[in-house]
Amino acid sequence: MDPHDAWLATLGQLEIQLNRATYETWVAGAEFVAYEGDTFTVSVRNAYAKDWLEQRLYRLVQTSLSTVLREEVQVRFVVQQPVPRRRFTRLDEDDDEDFRPPGSYAAPPPRATLEAPVIEKPALHFTPTGRFNADYTLASFVVGAANELAFAAAEAIASAPARQYNPLFVVGGVGVGKTHLLHAIGHALQERCLEVLYVSAEDFTNDFVRAIKTKQTEAFRNHYRDAAALIIDDVQFIAGKESTQEELFHTFNALHNRNCQIILAADRRPRQIDALQDRLRSRFEWGLTVELSAPDIESRLHILQQKAAQQGADLPLPIAELIASRLRGSVRDLEGALNQVLAQSALTRQPLTRDYAEAILSDFFHVELNPRVRLGLEDILHATATYHQITLDDLLGKERSKHVATVRHIAIYMAREELDATLPEIGRALGGRSHSTILNSYNKVCEWIASDPTFDDNLRALRQYLQNLAS
Ligand code: ADP
Ligand code: MG
C-alpha cells in the first residue's frame, strides 16, 4: 500500500475513534512525510500537537497505522515547517519597462494544454456508512433538562426501532450533541445486528450526484433503500437542492413502507428549512421532532469531567467549574477549551491554577475574564443581604426566621441566575450547605416567581441594584 494512502486511511480511522474536538485539535492536518525502515514519519501543525500525540495518543496512532499497513511500525512526529507564502513577482522589480503601471503583476505562465485522458468508468463506491465514533454512545451522553426528551426518544428507538417515532427529527444548534446522539442510536441498532446507514446529507447528495454522472442510480437506490435504518445528519444541507430532495423523498417512502427506522438531524426545524419541498417537510414531521439545546451548568460540568476522564487526565473541580461557567454554548467549544487547558498545563509543566486556566481561556477562546455581572459570588450574597437589610453573617448563619430564610433563598437564586454558579459552589460560599439544600432554595424561588407576579417585580429591582453595583 502506498504510504501516503496508508496515512490517509489511518486519519480516517482516527477521526472515527476520537471525539471530534480531540481529532480536530491534535490530529487533523497531520501529513505523511517519510517511511523508512520501520519508522513512519508524520508532520504535525505545532509543538503542542507533537507533544500531545506523543504523550497521549501514541499507542492509538501506532496501532491504527500498523493495522492499515499490516506491519508493525514506529511513528515519529515532526513539526511542519511553515510554508512560505507564495508570492508573485512584481514586474517593476526585475523589469524596468516603464510603460507598465507600477504594481502590475506578471501573468502566470500559460497552462499546458492537456488532452482529456480516457478514464474507465469506475465502480461506484458510496460514502462509507455504519462506522460509528466509539466515544459517541448513549452511555456517554450526559442527560439534563436541555436534552431529556431527545435522549428518551433515542433510547426508545434503540430498544424498539420503527415502533413509535418514525422518523425521529433531532433539532439543535452547533455543537449541542446531535451527531453524538445519532451515532449513539446507530451503535445501539448495529448491536442488534441491524444494518444501519449513517450519512450526512452532504454525502448523500454527493453520492447521488456521482451516481447520476456515472449512470448508476440503480446501485444508489439499492444501497440506500436496503437498510434497516437510515440516519441522515445535517439535513439542512439539502435546502434548495431539488433533485436530491426528490430522491430523498422516494428513499424515505421506500424505507418507511418497509417499516425501517429513519432518523434525521438538522440545525433547524423542518418548516424553517428554506426551499424544502412541502411533501418532504410533511414526511419529516410525521414522527417526533425533539430539540437539543445548550446544556445547563451541571451538565457542562459533568461533560467536562467525563471527557477529562476519557483522556485519563486529572481535572481539578475549580478548573472544571471555571470552564463550565465561561463556555456556555456549544459543547464542542467546551471540549476544545478543556483540551487546550489540559495540554498547555501539561506542556509547560505549570500547575493548573485558576489564574493560569483563565489566561489560557482568554488567549484561545477570547472568553471574557469577567463574567456577565462583574460581581463575585460573595459580592452577590453580600449585596442581596444588604438590600434586604440583614447582615452577611445572618445570611451565612443558622438563623431560621422567615425573613432571613427568604433572603437566603433569594441570594441562592441570584447567584445561580446571575453568575451561573454551581450548586456546590454556592453551598460552599454559604458556609458549607449541602447541594440539595441549595437546589431546594432555588426551586422554591422558581415556584414563587411562577405563582406571584409581584415577587418577580421585586427580583427585578434587586437585579437592577446588583447591576448598578457592578458597573
Ligand atoms: P452537533 O452535531 O450538534 O454539532 P456534536 O454531536 O458533534 O454536536 O457534539 C459536539 C461534541 O460535544 C461531541 O464531542 C460530543 O460528544 C459532545 N457532546 C455534546 N452534547 C453532549 C452530551 N450531552 N453529553 C456528552 N457529550 C456531549
Ligand atoms: Mg453534527
Side-chain angles (χ1 to χ4, degrees):
M1 184 176 211
D2 172 51
H4 196 265
D5 290 343
W7 179 244
L8 291 181
T10 307
L11 283 178
Q13 295 276 333
L14 294 171
E15 188 169 7
I16 295 165
Q17 291 179 44
L18 294 165
N19 71 47
R20 187 174 324 170
T22 307
Y23 179 82
E24 279 172 8
T25 316
W26 309 118
V27 184
E31 286 175 359
F32 166 71
V33 175
Y35 183 24
E36 286 153 357
D38 71 344
T39 306
F40 198 99
T41 308
V42 168
S43 70
V44 298
R45 276 185 261 176
N46 51 41
Y48 294 135
K50 176 174 184 298
D51 270 37
W52 194 262
L53 284 159
E54 283 170 352
Q55 288 172 16
R56 306 222 178 207
L57 297 175
Y58 184 82
R59 270 193 58 75
L60 180 65
V61 177
Q62 193 251 344
T63 37
S64 305
L65 180 59
S66 300
T67 313
V68 171
L69 286 167
R70 298 213 181 84
E71 64 182 318
E72 181 85 7
V73 289
Q74 303 309 313
V75 190
R76 193 165 75 94
F77 298 103
V78 294
V79 177
Q80 274 158 14
Q81 296 307 318
V83 183
R85 279 261 192 89
R86 208 169 341 142
R87 182 170 162 264
F88 291 106
T89 331
R90 277 177 64 142
L91 280 175
D92 50 354
E93 276 175 9
D94 51 12
D95 182 340
D96 57 6
E97 284 174 287
D98 55 8
F99 60 86
R100 286 178 212 263
S104 68
Y105 293 88
R111 276 212 204 130
T113 39
L114 291 174
E115 291 274 334
V118 183
I119 301 174
E120 274 193 38
K121 187 162 114 180
L124 192 56
H125 290 292
F126 297 103
T127 305
T129 48
R131 294 191 309 182
F132 299 105
N133 185 322
D135 285 338
Y136 292 176
T137 59
L138 288 172
S140 68
F141 193 79
V142 174
V143 186
N147 53 30
E148 255 165 2
L149 184 60
F151 183 77
E155 271 193 318
I157 290 174
S159 57
R163 199 64 69 70
Q164 272 172 300
Y165 313 121
N166 202 11
L168 175 70
F169 198 100
V170 181
V171 181
V174 178
V176 293
K178 301 183 294 298
T179 298
H180 185 136
L181 208 55
L182 262 44
H183 275 240
I185 301 173
H187 262 303
L189 294 179
Q190 218 168 41
E191 272 168 15
R192 303 168 65 92
C193 296
L194 296 174
E195 202 203 324
V196 188
L197 292 187
Y198 168 94
V199 272
S200 67
E202 184 171 359
D203 289 335
F204 180 88
T205 306
N206 292 339
D207 282 354
F208 180 56
V209 171
R210 277 191 302 127
I212 293 178
K213 275 197 186 139
T214 55
K215 302 199 169 52
Q216 297 183 69
T217 46
E218 194 56 32
F220 176 90
R221 283 176 192 147
N222 292 339
H223 176 70
Y224 277 101
R225 296 181 190 181
D226 216 23
L230 174 65
I231 307 179
I232 304 189
D233 206 347
D234 294 317
V235 164
Q236 73 276 0
F237 181 84
I238 60 167
K241 299 193 168 58
E242 285 293 324
S243 57
T244 306
Q245 290 190 19
E246 171 91 22
E247 188 59 32
L248 182 55
F249 176 75
H250 294 296
T251 306
F252 186 106
N253 291 340
L255 289 167
H256 206 274
N257 288 342
R258 283 192 16 243
N259 204 26
C260 301
Q261 177 72 50
I262 301 163
I263 304 155
L264 307 147
D267 65 359
R268 60 205 92 159
R269 289 178 172 270
R271 48 188 69 239
Q272 292 162 335
I273 301 180
D274 285 340
L276 184 65
Q277 294 170 3
D278 282 343
R279 56 185 188 162
L280 204 47
R281 170 175 312 141
S282 91
R283 292 293 184 288
F284 288 171
E285 289 174 344
W286 263 356
L288 176 70
T289 301
V290 286
E291 198 145 352
L292 291 177
S293 43
D296 60 15
I297 178 108
E298 270 79 27
S299 298
R300 294 204 296 278
L301 259 181
H302 190 152
I303 291 172
L304 283 172
Q305 283 163 330
Q306 182 177 290
K307 300 273 175 189
Q310 269 173 7
Q311 302 182 23
D314 181 31
L315 180 68
L317 183 62
I319 306 300
E321 286 175 342
L322 175 78
I323 302 173
S325 66
R326 295 300 155 81
L327 289 135
R328 297 154 186 243
S330 142
V331 181
R332 194 171 303 139
D333 290 349
L334 193 68
E335 276 188 76
L338 171 72
N339 288 342
Q340 279 298 343
V341 166
L342 292 177
Q344 298 271 331
S345 87
L347 296 173
T348 56
R349 300 202 165 73
Q350 281 200 46
L352 196 45
T353 61
R354 206 181 147 97
D355 283 351
Y356 185 43
E358 290 240 21
I360 297 170
L361 291 182
S362 75
D363 277 359
F364 282 91
F365 294 89
H366 309 289
V367 175
E368 253 196 279
L369 286 181
N370 298 313
R372 216 168 350 148
V373 170
R374 267 168 255 251
L375 290 176
L377 186 47
E378 281 75 22
D379 301 323
I380 294 220
L381 300 182
H382 196 172
T384 307
T386 313
Y387 183 81
H388 292 94
Q389 298 168 356
I390 66 171
T391 66
L392 183 61
D393 282 348
D394 290 339
L395 189 80
L396 302 185
K398 300 250 180 284
E399 155 133 33
R400 285 166 181 269
S401 77
K402 194 156 178 239
H403 180 60
V404 171
T406 306
V407 178
R408 209 173 276 136
H409 296 322
I410 293 176
I412 288 166
Y413 176 85
M414 278 297 167
R416 200 167 153 73
E417 286 289 303
E418 291 300 302
L419 285 180
D420 231 351
T422 64
L423 302 173
E425 267 179 313
I426 304 174
R428 281 197 295 276
L430 270 172
R433 287 176 155 84
S434 79
H435 122 288
S436 60
T437 307
I438 304 299
L439 185 60
N440 273 340
S441 297
Y442 177 79
N443 289 337
K444 209 165 263 169
V445 175
C446 293
E447 278 167 30
W448 289 338
I449 294 173
S451 60
D452 178 0
T454 56
F455 188 83
D456 199 19
D457 291 343
N458 198 0
L459 283 188
R460 211 167 295 131
L462 170 59
R463 197 171 269 133
Q464 189 61 51
Y465 173 76
L466 294 176
Q467 264 153 13
N468 292 344
L469 284 181
S471 50

